Amino acid sequence: MHIQHIDGIVMKIRVVKMRNAGVAVERRMLNDRYTVKYYGWLVIMDVTDQGLRRPVKVARLKQPGRQGPEMELLDPHIIWASEGKFTLAGFERVKNEEGKAVEFAQSWLCALDFRPPEELDESRNVRPMQ
């Protein structure tokens, strides 16, 4: 995985999905502390879609240490950008109960995440002595 560095700090992205199965999430819920936030590296590229049999632009959120498929947004477009935040709009492909692919409108609210990378610490779960 290619990681871009800016002045020695790893550049990461925080993503909040703005829709659930195509239905818009209430704006007040986007910044709620209980809203699921995804962290990782954003990669936008052209790939060949086997189902559509044509090139498709995709945005993928690479999440190190996470098992399973990456988050993916098909045909992403930048809708808005300001002060380290931006919105990508496109389509999310999921499988329904019958195993068929279904595509929903999806938007990602993205923010640059400049937190330093977490250090691996063997004593992470140990309280400091007082």
Side-chain angles (χ1 to χ4, degrees):
M1 176 186 307
H2 176 70
I3 301 172
Q4 294 181 354
H5 293 272
I6 297 177
D7 295 330
I9 299 174
V10 175
M11 185 171 69
K12 298 183 291 186
I13 302 291
R14 180 186 71 226
V15 174
V16 174
K17 289 185 175 186
M18 298 178 70
R19 295 179 172 271
N20 184 9
V23 179
V25 174
E26 293 181 39
R27 294 274 180 205
R28 65 180 177 84
M29 297 300 294
L30 295 177
N31 291 320
D32 187 73
R33 67 180 179 176
Y34 298 110
T35 300
V36 178
K37 296 169 185 70
Y38 302 91
Y39 295 86
W41 290 274
L42 183 67
V43 178
I44 299 176
M45 66 181 102
D46 287 322
V47 298
T48 300
D49 188 302
Q50 298 303 317
L52 298 175
R53 300 186 194 283
R54 67 174 176 88
V56 176
K57 188 170 294 298
V58 296
R60 290 182 177 156
L61 186 67
K62 305 257 186 193
Q63 297 174 289
R66 181 175 182 259
Q67 300 298 322
E70 304 164 340
M71 284 180 35
E72 188 172 77
L73 194 64
L74 302 167
D75 292 328
H77 295 84
I78 296 176
I79 302 299
W80 167 86
S82 178
E83 299 178 3
K85 295 181 182 178
F86 58 96
T87 302
L88 286 177
F91 298 93
E92 180 178 46
R93 183 178 293 155
V94 296
K95 292 193 179 199
N96 63 10
E97 300 83 29
E98 300 168 359
K100 295 182 181 179
V102 179
E103 293 178 356
F104 294 104
Q106 180 60 270
S107 297
W108 291 355
L109 178 59
C110 304
L112 299 178
D113 183 12
F114 290 109
R115 295 179 304 159
E118 291 183 13
E119 298 292 328
L120 293 176
D121 184 4
E122 296 297 322
S123 64
R124 170 177 257 163
N125 295 324
V126 178
R127 279 193 255 165
M129 294 179 63
Q130 295 185 16

